Amino acid sequence: MSCEFESEVLKINMPYKFESEVLKALEKLLKTETNYDVIIHVGKESDTKEFHAHSGFLCCRSDYFNSILSTKDTIKKDGKYVINKPNITPQAFDVIIKYFYTGHVDMTNNTGVEILNMMTAFDDLKLNQLIELAEDFLIDHHQNFLQNDPIKILQMVYSYKIFNNIQRLCLQNIYSKPNILFNSVKFVNLPAPLLEIILKQDDLILDEIEIWENLIKWGLAKDKILDEHVSKWNREKFNIFERILHNFMPLIRFYDISSEDYFNKVRPYEQILSKELREDILKFHMVPGFKPSFNNYTKRRSKKNIKSSLINTVTVDSLFINKEHVALFANWINWIERKDNYKYNNNISYDFNLILRGSRDGFDPKSFHNKCDNKGATITVIKIKNPNQSRSDQIYGYNIPIDWDNQIIGGYNPLDWSGRGRYSTPDSFLFSFNDNRNVESGIISRPININSTVISDPNWGPIFGAYTSYEDSHDLCMKTDGQWSSYPNSYTDINIPRNYFDIVDYEIFQVKKRIT
């Protein structure tokens, strides 16, 4: 006779109670632990916890525990089964045991790392349905976690098949923003198989000489004997270094490195290259029209080329942003598009159509809704008015100077501004350019709390983020009197002026995806 529930509740955005006497009784049984006969020790070292359960119920709810408890070799102490699971964290097993007894899964208050730990625990216990559930929740609600430290995530997941989608998503982020990998102190600890995957990619947007320099840095960190300058190396040290980097040599596009860079940065290490490759590279640089023999890979999409290709796909009618800003917006939006299929699509671009300019159409909520309702996805761009103060703010631990004459801020709404409603979408974002003349100063802020990330109200202008009562503001909003204010709540803090601030002008663009 099966002990499975006829209707099992899988709810992760918030706890949910199925009003059934059976469920209530099982939840009470879990809490009181009456007549338990299974002791499960989970965790290791200082992070351990003991859980109590009932063998008959576990056998019905889990094929894994049914197999464990059915064997004669299972340890018993004082009439109770004893199971040790040191590779599962207490936080993860707490979710699992509640799922067994109640059918509820609540990940709302768990960090990204804790959800990854849950996924390994689900895999260990063969709970495939929960693996997919946790993966979807992680991608939808922890985008900042996936973007801000992909190296840490890759180190955690690269040897587990269940994380293939998460791994691909992190790698795609690295391909488009390689500095988050190569500028990190953790880079030298990256496992060789992962580095090999990364260096194979044509989509790695980094100049080839920079890739070579970082590969040298990674290789030098692998053996302490290589601590002195390469000019002092003997044959033994070159042999050690060649063995470390042997698998990576075919992945470097040496023919895309300039003669000057090759002479200054590659030649000191060229003893690790084969004699045939060295001669081929020499002919390539010395003999006009020579076709390389070892050119196994196509040219990478360099920073210059990818920037140009993105810019060529977009146009913009604006007083204070240009094609480079719009290309960056398109790339930020495109990250949202590719989270569903984990594949970067070079052919997706966007039209940015100006539908409102404050100085032309008005600075009040009524003008905003007249122009922007029923237009679908939009991006709002605001030019800050100089507050006559000079300061540097802490952003992510760095001192960032603000050019108050040229700061622009704004936000992306993937939905619509019409009607009245509070929308919890992880696909919206805020942004800030500390100097709009420098696109590289752009910072994006994705939701850290998806409750009311976008709010539509006929009496207000654009509203991003939940309301903060003690500061009387949302993350970014135009109030009923047309005044702008901001206070971080639902999004990470990216130096948008807090509380009330004045603006020079603002523009709103309708964003439409274009498939070419």
Side-chain angles (χ1 to χ4, degrees):
M1 185 176 185
S2 174
C3 294
E4 292 286 341
F5 302 144
E6 289 184 5
S7 177
E8 185 166 285
V9 181
L10 294 176
K11 195 73 174 177
I12 58 178
N13 285 344
M14 60 185 70
Y16 181 84
K17 290 202 173 185
F18 183 70
E19 296 301 330
S20 155
E21 293 300 321
V22 174
L23 286 177
K24 287 181 179 179
L26 290 172
E27 192 168 5
K28 183 178 179 181
L29 182 64
L30 174 64
K31 291 180 179 179
T32 61
E33 302 177 345
T34 305
N35 298 323
Y36 72 89
D37 62 343
V38 181
I39 300 173
I40 306 170
H41 297 284
V42 302
K44 53 188 173 182
E45 298 175 354
S46 60
D47 188 20
T48 61
K49 187 175 179 180
E50 180 177 298
F51 290 86
H52 299 158
H54 305 80
S55 60
F57 191 67
L58 286 184
C59 289
C60 290
R61 296 291 284 135
S62 166
D63 291 338
Y64 174 84
F65 279 109
N66 183 43
S67 175
I68 293 292
L69 295 169
S70 298
T71 63
K72 296 180 180 180
D73 297 332
T74 303
I75 300 173
K76 272 196 168 187
K77 183 178 180 180
D78 298 330
K80 293 179 172 58
Y81 295 99
V82 179
I83 300 174
N84 295 305
K85 301 298 297 180
N87 293 329
I88 296 180
T89 66
Q91 296 91 338
F93 198 79
D94 187 61
V95 171
I96 292 169
I97 196 72
K98 288 178 180 176
Y99 164 70
F100 283 156
Y101 278 81
T102 69
H104 300 165
V105 178
D106 182 8
M107 304 179 190
T108 307
N109 297 319
N110 293 104
T111 66
V113 171
E114 288 172 344
I115 293 175
L116 288 175
N117 288 332
M118 285 181 198
M119 290 178 67
T120 60
F122 297 157
D123 183 53
D124 189 13
L125 301 182
K126 298 178 173 56
L127 300 171
N128 295 331
Q129 185 179 12
L130 296 190
I131 294 174
E132 183 177 348
L133 199 69
E135 180 182 82
D136 290 342
F137 186 78
L138 184 67
I139 292 172
D140 288 339
H141 302 286
H142 290 274
Q143 294 180 20
N144 281 341
F145 168 70
L146 293 174
Q147 289 187 89
N148 292 341
D149 197 354
I151 302 175
K152 179 179 180 179
I153 298 171
L154 287 172
Q155 289 174 328
M156 291 179 64
V157 309
Y158 88 97
S159 60
Y160 294 90
K161 287 185 178 180
I162 59 167
F163 292 117
N164 283 347
N165 289 334
I166 300 296
Q167 179 175 306
R168 283 197 293 269
L169 192 58
C170 291
L171 288 172
Q172 290 288 357
N173 193 32
I174 287 172
Y175 301 155
S176 60
K177 299 176 183 178
N179 285 339
I180 61 179
L181 170 70
F182 295 110
N183 289 354
S184 171
V185 294
K186 301 176 184 177
F187 166 65
V188 294
N189 298 321
L190 193 70
L194 275 176
L195 183 58
E196 191 171 346
I197 290 172
I198 292 168
L199 296 191
K200 284 180 179 179
Q201 298 303 311
D202 296 336
D203 285 347
L204 182 59
I205 306 174
L206 199 65
D207 293 335
E208 203 65 28
I209 189 59
E210 295 180 79
I211 293 174
W212 170 259
E213 289 178 299
N214 281 289
L215 179 61
I216 294 297
K217 179 175 67 175
W218 181 88
L220 292 175
K222 299 305 169 188
D223 198 315
K224 293 181 180 180
I225 198 174
L226 304 173
D227 59 348
E228 63 182 356
H229 193 270
V230 64
S231 61
K232 299 179 181 179
W233 285 8
N234 56 25
R235 184 66 254 175
E236 179 189 1
K237 291 188 177 181
F238 276 108
N239 288 339
I240 292 172
F241 202 47
E242 192 279 332
R243 287 195 294 270
I244 292 171
L245 298 185
H246 179 78
N247 291 338
F248 299 99
M249 290 302 97
L251 308 180
I252 301 298
R253 282 71 157 167
F254 289 103
Y255 306 98
D256 294 334
I257 297 175
S258 70
S259 301
E260 181 181 355
D261 282 333
Y262 184 88
F263 183 84
N264 292 325
K265 299 176 180 179
V266 179
R267 190 181 62 85
Y269 298 94
E270 69 176 0
Q271 289 190 50
I272 70 173
L273 308 183
S274 69
K275 180 180 178 181
E276 294 78 13
L277 178 57
R278 295 200 303 267
E279 290 181 355
D280 205 61
I281 294 171
L282 180 62
K283 289 180 182 179
F284 173 75
H285 288 295
M286 300 295 292
V287 180
F290 176 77
K291 293 184 179 180
S293 303
F294 295 89
N295 193 14
N296 297 324
Y297 287 92
T298 57
K299 191 179 184 69
R300 297 189 204 270
R301 297 164 63 224
S302 68
K303 290 181 283 187
K304 182 178 180 181
N305 290 339
I306 185 61
K307 188 175 182 180
S308 298
S309 65
L310 280 171
I311 290 173
N312 289 336
T313 66
V314 294
T315 58
V316 60
D317 172 17
S318 175
L319 297 178
F320 38 82
I321 63 171
N322 57 36
K323 288 184 176 183
E324 292 188 0
H325 295 93
V326 174
L328 183 58
F329 294 153
N331 208 22
W332 285 342
I333 295 169
N334 202 27
W335 187 93
I336 298 167
E337 297 288 342
R338 72 177 188 265
K339 78 180 175 65
D340 293 326
N341 57 18
Y342 312 105
K343 183 178 181 181
Y344 188 85
N345 188 343
N346 297 329
N347 295 322
I348 293 182
S349 56
Y350 301 86
D351 290 321
F352 291 77
N353 303 316
L354 179 69
I355 56 176
L356 179 147
R357 177 176 292 141
S359 56
R360 182 190 69 187
D361 304 310
F363 291 91
D364 58 289
K366 182 177 179 181
S367 299
F368 161 73
H369 285 286
N370 285 341
K371 292 289 184 178
C372 302
D373 283 4
N374 302 306
K375 293 296 194 300
T378 57
I379 197 160
T380 301
V381 183
I382 305 164
K383 179 72 164 55
I384 299 293
K385 189 172 184 179
N386 191 331
N388 295 319
Q389 61 185 28
S390 177
R391 63 185 174 92
S392 291
D393 282 305
Q394 291 286 331
I395 303 180
Y396 304 130
Y398 298 94
N399 285 320
I400 304 295
I402 308 299
D403 185 338
W404 290 102
D405 289 319
N406 294 289
Q407 188 187 21
I408 59 174
I409 62 172
Y412 171 67
N413 175 8
L415 306 174
D416 194 272
W417 291 115
S418 60
R420 186 188 302 273
R422 298 175 179 270
Y423 305 103
S424 299
T425 170
D427 296 341
S428 59
F429 61 77
L430 299 180
F431 62 85
S432 172
F433 291 83
N434 296 317
D435 181 353
N436 75 314
R437 298 167 301 179
N438 177 15
V439 177
E440 299 297 326
S441 71
I443 306 170
I444 187 173
S445 170
R446 300 194 188 273
I448 53 176
N449 174 7
I450 67 163
N451 181 32
S452 301
T453 52
V454 174
I455 300 174
S456 176
D457 188 313
N459 299 315
W460 290 56
I463 306 174
F464 293 90
Y467 180 71
T468 304
S469 59
Y470 54 89
E471 292 294 342
D472 189 30
S473 180
H474 300 264
D475 286 72
L476 178 63
C477 65
M478 177 202 285
K479 296 197 171 187
T480 56
D481 58 359
Q483 179 69 54
W484 289 88
S485 71
S486 170
Y487 196 84
N489 184 353
S490 300
Y491 299 81
T492 54
D493 185 6
I494 53 170
N495 208 48
I496 294 176
R498 297 192 177 188
N499 303 319
Y500 290 92
F501 58 89
D502 295 325
I503 71 171
V504 175
D505 208 341
Y506 85 111
E507 298 173 333
I508 296 183
F509 301 86
Q510 181 187 38
V511 181
K512 286 189 173 182
K513 184 167 68 174
R514 181 176 72 244
I515 307 295
T516 60

